[in-house]
Amino acid sequence: MTDRATGLLDRPTSQQPPSRTHRQRVAAFVESKGFQRLIVSLIVLNAAVLGLETYDEVTARWDWLLSPLNRFIIAVFVAEIALRIFAHGRSFFRSGWGLFDLFVVTLALIPASGDAAVLRVLRVLRVLRLLSTVRSMRRVVGALVTAIPGIASIGALLVILYYVGIVMATNLFSGISPEHFGNLGQTATSMFRIMIGDGGLGDIVEPIGREQPAAWLFFLIFVVVTTFVVLNLFIAVTVEALDRQRENESRDDDTSSSGPDREDQLLEAIKDLQRQVSSLERRLDGPGNPQQ
Amino acid sequence: MTDRATGLLDRPTSQQPPSRTHRQRVAAFVESKGFQRLIVSLIVLNAAVLGLETYDEVTARWDWLLSPLNRFIIAVFVAEIALRIFAHGRSFFRSGWGLFDLFVVTLALIPASGDAAVLRVLRVLRVLRLLSTVRSMRRVVGALVTAIPGIASIGALLVILYYVGIVMATNLFSGISPEHFGNLGQTATSMFRIMIGDGGLGDIVEPIGREQPAAWLFFLIFVVVTTFVVLNLFIAVTVEALDRQRENESRDDDTSSSGPDREDQLLEAIKDLQRQVSSLERRLDGPGNPQQ
Amino acid sequence: MTDRATGLLDRPTSQQPPSRTHRQRVAAFVESKGFQRLIVSLIVLNAAVLGLETYDEVTARWDWLLSPLNRFIIAVFVAEIALRIFAHGRSFFRSGWGLFDLFVVTLALIPASGDAAVLRVLRVLRVLRLLSTVRSMRRVVGALVTAIPGIASIGALLVILYYVGIVMATNLFSGISPEHFGNLGQTATSMFRIMIGDGGLGDIVEPIGREQPAAWLFFLIFVVVTTFVVLNLFIAVTVEALDRQRENESRDDDTSSSGPDREDQLLEAIKDLQRQVSSLERRLDGPGNPQQ
Amino acid sequence: MTDRATGLLDRPTSQQPPSRTHRQRVAAFVESKGFQRLIVSLIVLNAAVLGLETYDEVTARWDWLLSPLNRFIIAVFVAEIALRIFAHGRSFFRSGWGLFDLFVVTLALIPASGDAAVLRVLRVLRVLRLLSTVRSMRRVVGALVTAIPGIASIGALLVILYYVGIVMATNLFSGISPEHFGNLGQTATSMFRIMIGDGGLGDIVEPIGREQPAAWLFFLIFVVVTTFVVLNLFIAVTVEALDRQRENESRDDDTSSSGPDREDQLLEAIKDLQRQVSSLERRLDGPGNPQQ
């Protein structure tokens, strides 16, 4: 918090100059390798503590250590977010990752008792700060998120087909198998089990099929159609990922390849030649005149 | 139904001109953004109503609202189809999507009682009108449908192998496990469960394997062969999707890339040069003659 | 069996000429569209009969029809194979598809009783003649078979890892769970169920895990490693299929694209120009001599 | 161990020359086709013996044969490793495959009784020597291992999401279903079953869903998110494999394709032409001077 005048480029306002210098210094500190490493270590430590607390024996015996440790880590996180907000100002709130960190740390402040206590389970989302803090994780998550719009239409198609399937199944089989197809919610879970091949055909469809063999046809069509759509969802993602890759490559190629340059050279050489021949012609015209 | 003469280009027939004008106006109305949005909203609303009706409590309590709402939506759909048929005439029946909409709306008119009552469950197919009405959905479904012919041969192969497998399994295991392999239909469902890994190996094959260990060999071969074919079905779809993509790209490249143009320019420049040199030759021949 | 002399190109041998003509005629008949269609229809009919025979009621009531039909179809198949052997001679036995048809039809002649009766179940392999007779099926199966060598090494890796896994599992868990890991055969089937996610983790691993939690680590490693190898098997097939496709395309490109031709034209044009300029030089030398 | 002077190229040192010659001879012997084949045969034989020993009847009856055979094979392996260490010296310890072989053979020397007896189960890893000894296996394993770094970030993302999922699930459901979500270890196995679709939804989630329907939402999100990440793991591997392939191809293209050579030829031809025309110009200048 010294006042050394490093702010040469700042406009001379009476109030803000020292604050601005502070901001820059805080930003440098918050983004320094050492501080980042400390935060990552604390996130990992916090993840371990949250995991250990699921064991009742551990909580009973080590609570005197884990509870303060937990509170200390949260305090550091709150301080870190505060410093980052101070350093980046409004732009902090414009960054998706910034808002994500703020949200996740805020969850830590939910009281352990009262109506909102059930939200305490969201505390563990803090571990996801690893995704926002480690650079390579950030890139991977970014790539996955950008892949989502490309598959949105096929995803919507899947949802529509799935919805039609469960409404039909509820209408058809609520009488035969009320425990699996009693209402839309139950049917949704039963059909999800059938779709992902989680033993649903044996547990759910077989008893129905014994009463109504035609039911198999319905479920066969459902499985084949949804599998085909999921397959195409998969392909859409693959094709897009490959294209993005290829695009990047061809952009690299454009700057490095000398193909067009070569042809430019050729054209230039030929034009030089034309000029030479033209001057030759003019020269022939010149000396030829006095001869005649 | 006014008679303003906008049909300047129409042939002066005594009966049809006003109708033709009406048709154009109706077509413009039916295809207007606002009307399309209304229809999409009604489809979504209808989907919600059809879902809610699967809950007995909801039907009991809200039937006074849901039933008229349902009938109103169907009325709008019928009116929409009628307008579209009026607007497009015969070409309506030539469009796949048009026929699909007509079929799906007609299903809504099936009486709730009587022999055809079981077909009422098809009412929910109305929700699929989302696929024919929303443009992006239409494109996705179109793409999926065009992918089908490319995989038809491998699909047929899968069906043949599957059929051979179930006939053999019925012959081999109908004695040991009559509840799963008693006849072709039962075997078909049992083998489907085994093929998609839905717990069939544990529930169905294990009891047989205890009596006849060699049975495992049969099912192992069946699972490996069908999985290999399904895998190749998958690859066929991927390769075709990638190729279609690449084809589109290269078509784009052909129009934008200046590669051939460059070479044309080069060839043109060289031909110009040849003409120049030729005229030079002729000129040299010319003044040479008088000298001799 | 007429003696019309169409064998103009034949060497005049005393015994074989008429036979050769017959052979050609028989080959033309056997490969004719009509005959092929008949055979395909009979294969499909045979497939249906073999399926129907798995229903005891059908066999009891319709055996008077199905049995003779079956025998008639086999008779036609035997006659067809005999004609093809007569028509193609030794080259019939050199074709993979020919041998396949011969093998499959021979299976039909296995007696219904006696020691070999269990092989009767192989009769249904006759349906696979669809693959050898329908041209498009033949192509698809050919493509799948050519894909096999490319994945042989990874397949072998999978077999080795799988073998190591089952020997270890038998040694480790035969005491805890003798019904699933009692010997190598039982372990092989149990681990197959675990590998393909067929409910094996719940039925087999969970009871073991309750006694020996470390067992989960073993099965986790097994599932992850084998899945990774299977994934790569999949990728190897995809990459090879894409490459074959791309190779074919680039071969097509080579013949159709005019790229190299253009450059040849350019080079030719420049060489013409050089010859022109050279003759110009000689001409300048020529008239210059008398002047000096 | 004769002293024939084949070491002509060796420096004449007093102590090492015979040893060096021996080394070369031993290396040639160890790497000879015949010896390699012997080792591969012994590994396969060893694999068979280790498999047979899992059957108690076999061990009881044939132990007099299998035990000495086993000891003989190990003796050969130890001798082979010793020879290779002698032949290659330090470089043996720098090769990954060398260390792998040494490790795997060392495991064979673990005593059958005592504290380390449980490690005897690792004897079967000897079979993995097939991977290090057969050349094509070595290449495949090498390729798989190089694919790992490319997917490390997505793998780490999967681990983080999985960890967050199991801590949340333990907190949420340890009360409702203590046998599946009692502590972090149990939850880890339960969620693994759910993630890979191994019947977990039916056995584990359904009972919870009956008490707390909202639980389905949690597991739905978990399954969809982890499946999406696994899908992208898959795509990352595919894209990388395809790129490696394409890179190799384009490297091949660079050396073989004559594209740039052609353009070089063109440019060279044009420059030759320019030189010709220049000399023409100079010649025209030459004879013109005396005329003036």
Side-chain angles (χ1 to χ4, degrees):
Chain A
M1 317 286 173
T2 61
D3 261 334
R4 276 195 284 142
T6 54
L8 285 175
L9 294 166
D10 292 345
R11 281 176 298 157
T13 54
S14 55
Q15 286 184 321
Q16 291 300 325
S19 147
R20 191 145 192 213
T21 337
H22 286 151
R23 277 184 161 201
Q24 290 173 336
R25 259 186 248 145
V26 168
F29 170 68
V30 163
E31 281 152 17
S32 69
K33 278 236 157 157
F35 190 70
Q36 292 280 326
R37 254 181 230 147
L38 174 74
I39 295 293
V40 170
S41 316
L42 285 180
I43 297 169
V44 173
L45 182 64
N46 199 188
V49 169
L50 287 165
L52 285 171
E53 283 182 351
T54 62
Y55 292 86
D56 287 340
E57 323 82 88
V58 175
T59 318
R61 211 166 145 188
W62 296 93
D63 193 47
W64 60 269
L65 175 65
L66 297 179
S67 266
L69 187 61
N70 227 335
R71 253 171 282 138
F72 166 73
I73 294 172
I74 294 169
V76 175
F77 286 172
V78 170
E80 186 227 350
I81 295 282
L83 285 176
R84 279 167 63 192
I85 295 177
F86 173 71
H88 300 292
R90 271 189 214 157
S91 67
F92 176 87
F93 297 98
R94 260 177 260 133
S95 142
W97 288 117
L99 290 174
F100 176 78
D101 285 356
L102 183 62
F103 169 70
V104 150
V105 169
T106 308
L107 286 174
L109 307 174
I110 293 169
S113 59
D115 286 348
V118 75
L119 290 175
R120 290 217 77 204
V121 83
L122 296 175
R123 285 174 315 156
V124 73
L125 290 179
R126 243 179 284 160
V127 177
L128 294 180
R129 288 208 53 203
L130 272 180
L131 307 184
S132 63
T133 311
V134 180
R135 194 183 301 265
S136 65
M137 280 294 109
R138 224 152 140 165
R139 221 176 314 128
V140 167
V141 173
L144 293 192
V145 168
T146 45
I148 289 172
I151 60 176
S153 321
I154 304 188
L157 174 61
L158 187 61
V159 169
I160 292 170
L161 290 175
Y162 187 69
Y163 185 79
V164 169
I166 61 176
V167 174
M168 285 181 81
T170 311
N171 286 332
L172 286 168
F173 308 119
S174 63
I176 301 176
S177 171
E179 73 277 23
H180 288 121
F181 296 97
N183 60 44
L184 216 56
Q186 288 172 333
T187 309
T189 60
S190 303
M191 296 291 264
F192 188 64
R193 281 188 60 198
I194 291 165
M195 188 172 69
I196 70 169
D198 183 273
L201 289 178
D203 296 356
I204 300 170
V205 178
E206 206 160 83
I208 296 175
R210 243 172 274 138
E211 274 190 55
Q212 182 53 268
W216 277 104
L217 195 68
F218 174 81
F219 289 107
L220 181 80
I221 293 173
F222 178 76
V223 168
V224 169
V225 168
T226 53
T227 302
F228 182 64
V229 174
V230 168
L231 192 86
N232 272 273
L233 191 73
F234 184 105
I235 292 168
V237 175
T238 309
V239 168
E240 218 186 284
L242 287 173
D243 277 6
R244 239 178 292 152
Q245 198 89 10
R246 217 178 296 148
E247 227 164 69
N248 292 346
E249 275 170 26
S250 68
R251 210 177 303 141
D252 294 354
D253 282 2
D254 279 1
T255 54
S256 71
S257 92
S258 59
D261 293 351
R262 262 287 152 73
E263 294 188 339
D264 277 352
Q265 273 181 288
L266 276 174
L267 198 61
E268 209 45 64
I270 292 175
K271 281 186 177 155
D272 279 357
L273 200 60
Q274 284 182 321
R275 260 173 255 125
Q276 270 185 301
V277 174
S278 295
S279 86
L280 208 73
E281 271 183 305
R282 253 172 287 122
R283 198 173 294 234
L284 279 173
D285 283 357
N289 274 335
Q291 273 186 346
Q292 282 177 348
Chain B
M1 318 288 175
T2 62
D3 262 334
R4 275 196 284 145
T6 54
L8 285 174
L9 295 165
D10 292 344
R11 280 176 297 156
T13 54
S14 55
Q15 287 185 320
Q16 291 299 326
S19 147
R20 191 150 192 209
T21 336
H22 286 152
R23 278 185 160 200
Q24 290 174 335
R25 259 185 246 144
V26 168
F29 170 69
V30 163
E31 280 152 18
S32 69
K33 279 236 157 155
F35 188 71
Q36 292 281 324
R37 254 180 231 145
L38 174 74
I39 295 293
V40 170
S41 316
L42 284 180
I43 297 170
V44 173
L45 182 65
N46 198 188
V49 170
L50 287 165
L52 284 171
E53 282 182 351
T54 62
Y55 291 87
D56 287 341
E57 322 83 87
V58 176
T59 318
R61 214 169 144 186
W62 296 93
D63 193 48
W64 60 268
L65 176 66
L66 297 178
S67 266
L69 187 60
N70 228 334
R71 252 171 284 139
F72 166 73
I73 293 172
I74 293 169
V76 175
F77 285 172
V78 170
E80 187 226 351
I81 295 282
L83 285 177
R84 279 168 62 193
I85 293 177
F86 173 72
H88 298 293
R90 271 189 215 156
S91 67
F92 176 88
F93 297 99
R94 260 177 261 131
S95 141
W97 288 117
L99 291 174
F100 177 78
D101 286 356
L102 182 62
F103 169 71
V104 150
V105 170
T106 309
L107 286 175
L109 308 174
I110 293 169
S113 58
D115 288 348
V118 76
L119 289 175
R120 291 216 76 205
V121 83
L122 296 174
R123 285 175 315 157
V124 74
L125 291 179
R126 243 178 286 160
V127 178
L128 294 181
R129 287 207 53 200
L130 272 180
L131 307 184
S132 63
T133 311
V134 180
R135 191 183 302 266
S136 64
M137 281 293 108
R138 224 153 139 164
R139 220 176 314 127
V140 167
V141 174
L144 292 193
V145 169
T146 46
I148 289 172
I151 60 176
S153 323
I154 305 188
L157 175 62
L158 188 60
V159 169
I160 292 171
L161 291 175
Y162 187 69
Y163 185 78
V164 169
I166 61 175
V167 174
M168 284 182 82
T170 311
N171 286 331
L172 286 168
F173 308 118
S174 63
I176 300 176
S177 171
E179 73 277 23
H180 288 122
F181 296 97
N183 60 45
L184 215 55
Q186 290 172 333
T187 310
T189 59
S190 303
M191 296 292 265
F192 188 63
R193 282 187 61 198
I194 291 165
M195 188 172 69
I196 71 170
D198 184 274
L201 289 179
D203 297 355
I204 300 170
V205 178
E206 205 159 84
I208 295 175
R210 242 172 276 138
E211 274 189 56
Q212 182 52 268
W216 277 103
L217 194 68
F218 175 80
F219 289 108
L220 181 79
I221 293 174
F222 178 77
V223 168
V224 169
V225 168
T226 53
T227 302
F228 182 63
V229 174
V230 168
L231 192 85
N232 272 274
L233 191 74
F234 185 104
I235 292 169
V237 175
T238 309
V239 168
E240 218 187 282
L242 287 173
D243 276 7
R244 240 178 293 154
Q245 197 88 11
R246 219 179 295 149
E247 228 163 69
N248 291 346
E249 274 169 26
S250 69
R251 210 178 301 142
D252 292 356
D253 282 3
D254 279 2
T255 56
S256 70
S257 91
S258 58
D261 293 350
R262 262 287 153 69
E263 293 189 340
D264 278 351
Q265 273 181 287
L266 275 174
L267 199 61
E268 208 47 61
I270 291 175
K271 282 186 177 156
D272 279 358
L273 200 59
Q274 284 181 321
R275 260 173 254 125
Q276 271 185 302
V277 174
S278 295
S279 85
L280 207 75
E281 270 183 304
R282 254 173 287 123
R283 195 172 296 233
L284 279 172
D285 282 356
N289 275 335
Q291 272 188 347
Q292 281 177 347
Chain C
M1 318 287 174
T2 62
D3 262 334
R4 275 196 284 146
T6 52
L8 285 175
L9 295 166
D10 293 345
R11 280 176 297 157
T13 53
S14 55
Q15 287 184 319
Q16 292 301 324
S19 147
R20 194 151 189 208
T21 337
H22 287 151
R23 277 184 162 201
Q24 290 174 337
R25 259 183 248 146
V26 168
F29 171 69
V30 162
E31 279 152 20
S32 69
K33 277 234 158 156
F35 188 72
Q36 294 280 324
R37 254 180 230 145
L38 174 75
I39 295 293
V40 170
S41 317
L42 285 181
I43 297 169
V44 172
L45 182 65
N46 198 188
V49 170
L50 288 166
L52 284 171
E53 282 182 350
T54 62
Y55 291 86
D56 288 341
E57 323 83 87
V58 175
T59 316
R61 215 171 141 185
W62 296 94
D63 193 46
W64 61 269
L65 175 66
L66 298 179
S67 266
L69 187 60
N70 227 335
R71 253 171 284 138
F72 167 72
I73 294 172
I74 293 170
V76 175
F77 286 173
V78 169
E80 185 226 351
I81 295 282
L83 285 177
R84 279 167 63 194
I85 294 178
F86 173 72
H88 299 294
R90 272 190 214 155
S91 67
F92 176 88
F93 297 98
R94 259 176 262 132
S95 142
W97 288 116
L99 291 174
F100 176 78
D101 285 356
L102 182 63
F103 169 71
V104 150
V105 170
T106 308
L107 287 174
L109 308 175
I110 293 169
S113 58
D115 287 349
V118 75
L119 291 175
R120 289 217 79 202
V121 84
L122 297 174
R123 285 174 316 156
V124 74
L125 291 180
R126 243 179 285 159
V127 178
L128 293 181
R129 287 209 53 202
L130 273 180
L131 307 184
S132 63
T133 311
V134 180
R135 195 182 301 265
S136 65
M137 279 295 109
R138 225 152 140 164
R139 220 174 316 127
V140 167
V141 173
L144 293 193
V145 169
T146 45
I148 289 172
I151 61 176
S153 322
I154 305 188
L157 174 61
L158 188 60
V159 169
I160 292 170
L161 291 175
Y162 187 69
Y163 185 79
V164 169
I166 61 175
V167 174
M168 285 181 82
T170 310
N171 286 331
L172 285 168
F173 308 119
S174 63
I176 300 176
S177 171
E179 72 278 24
H180 287 121
F181 296 98
N183 60 44
L184 214 56
Q186 289 173 333
T187 310
T189 60
S190 303
M191 297 291 266
F192 188 64
R193 284 188 60 198
I194 291 166
M195 187 172 70
I196 71 170
D198 184 274
L201 289 178
D203 298 355
I204 299 171
V205 178
E206 206 160 84
I208 295 175
R210 244 172 274 137
E211 274 188 55
Q212 182 53 269
W216 277 104
L217 193 69
F218 174 80
F219 289 106
L220 181 80
I221 293 173
F222 177 77
V223 169
V224 169
V225 168
T226 53
T227 303
F228 182 63
V229 173
V230 168
L231 191 86
N232 271 275
L233 191 73
F234 185 104
I235 293 168
V237 176
T238 309
V239 168
E240 218 187 283
L242 287 172
D243 276 7
R244 240 178 292 154
Q245 197 90 10
R246 218 179 296 148
E247 230 164 67
N248 291 345
E249 275 170 27
S250 69
R251 211 177 301 142
D252 293 355
D253 282 4
D254 279 2
T255 56
S256 69
S257 92
S258 58
D261 294 349
R262 262 288 152 67
E263 292 189 340
D264 277 352
Q265 273 181 289
L266 276 174
L267 199 61
E268 208 47 61
I270 291 175
K271 281 186 176 155
D272 280 356
L273 200 60
Q274 283 182 320
R275 260 173 254 124
Q276 272 185 301
V277 174
S278 295
S279 86
L280 208 76
E281 270 184 303
R282 254 174 285 122
R283 198 171 294 234
L284 278 173
D285 281 359
N289 273 337
Q291 275 186 345
Q292 282 178 345
Chain D
M1 319 290 172
T2 62
D3 261 332
R4 275 196 284 144
T6 54
L8 285 176
L9 295 166
D10 292 345
R11 279 176 300 156
T13 54
S14 55
Q15 287 184 320
Q16 291 300 324
S19 147
R20 191 148 191 212
T21 336
H22 286 152
R23 277 186 162 200
Q24 289 173 336
R25 258 186 248 146
V26 168
F29 170 69
V30 162
E31 279 151 19
S32 68
K33 277 235 159 157
F35 189 72
Q36 293 281 324
R37 254 180 230 146
L38 174 75
I39 295 294
V40 169
S41 315
L42 285 180
I43 297 169
V44 172
L45 182 66
N46 199 186
V49 169
L50 288 165
L52 285 171
E53 282 182 350
T54 62
Y55 290 87
D56 287 341
E57 321 83 88
V58 175
T59 317
R61 210 168 144 188
W62 296 93
D63 194 47
W64 60 269
L65 177 65
L66 297 179
S67 266
L69 188 60
N70 226 336
R71 253 171 283 138
F72 166 72
I73 294 171
I74 293 170
V76 175
F77 285 172
V78 169
E80 186 226 350
I81 294 282
L83 284 177
R84 280 167 62 193
I85 294 178
F86 173 71
H88 300 293
R90 272 191 214 156
S91 67
F92 175 89
F93 297 98
R94 259 177 261 132
S95 142
W97 288 117
L99 292 175
F100 177 77
D101 286 355
L102 182 62
F103 169 70
V104 152
V105 170
T106 309
L107 287 174
L109 308 174
I110 294 170
S113 58
D115 286 349
V118 75
L119 290 175
R120 289 217 78 204
V121 84
L122 296 175
R123 285 175 315 156
V124 73
L125 291 180
R126 244 180 283 160
V127 178
L128 294 180
R129 287 208 53 200
L130 272 181
L131 308 184
S132 64
T133 310
V134 181
R135 194 182 301 266
S136 65
M137 280 294 109
R138 224 152 141 165
R139 220 175 314 127
V140 168
V141 173
L144 293 192
V145 169
T146 45
I148 290 172
I151 60 176
S153 321
I154 304 187
L157 175 61
L158 188 60
V159 168
I160 292 170
L161 291 175
Y162 187 70
Y163 185 78
V164 169
I166 61 174
V167 173
M168 284 182 82
T170 310
N171 286 332
L172 285 168
F173 308 119
S174 63
I176 301 176
S177 172
E179 72 278 23
H180 287 121
F181 297 97
N183 59 45
L184 215 56
Q186 288 172 334
T187 309
T189 61
S190 303
M191 297 292 264
F192 188 64
R193 282 188 60 197
I194 291 165
M195 187 171 71
I196 70 169
D198 183 273
L201 289 178
D203 297 354
I204 300 170
V205 178
E206 205 159 85
I208 295 175
R210 242 171 277 139
E211 274 190 57
Q212 183 55 268
W216 277 103
L217 194 69
F218 174 80
F219 289 107
L220 181 79
I221 294 173
F222 178 77
V223 169
V224 169
V225 168
T226 53
T227 301
F228 182 63
V229 173
V230 168
L231 192 84
N232 272 274
L233 192 71
F234 184 104
I235 293 168
V237 175
T238 309
V239 168
E240 219 188 281
L242 287 173
D243 276 7
R244 240 179 291 154
Q245 197 90 10
R246 218 179 297 148
E247 228 165 70
N248 291 346
E249 275 169 26
S250 68
R251 211 178 301 142
D252 293 354
D253 282 3
D254 280 2
T255 55
S256 71
S257 91
S258 58
D261 294 349
R262 263 288 152 69
E263 294 188 339
D264 278 352
Q265 273 181 287
L266 277 173
L267 198 61
E268 208 46 63
I270 293 174
K271 281 185 177 156
D272 279 356
L273 199 60
Q274 284 181 320
R275 261 174 254 125
Q276 271 184 300
V277 174
S278 295
S279 85
L280 207 74
E281 270 184 303
R282 254 174 287 122
R283 198 172 294 235
L284 281 173
D285 281 359
N289 274 337
Q291 276 187 344
Q292 282 178 346

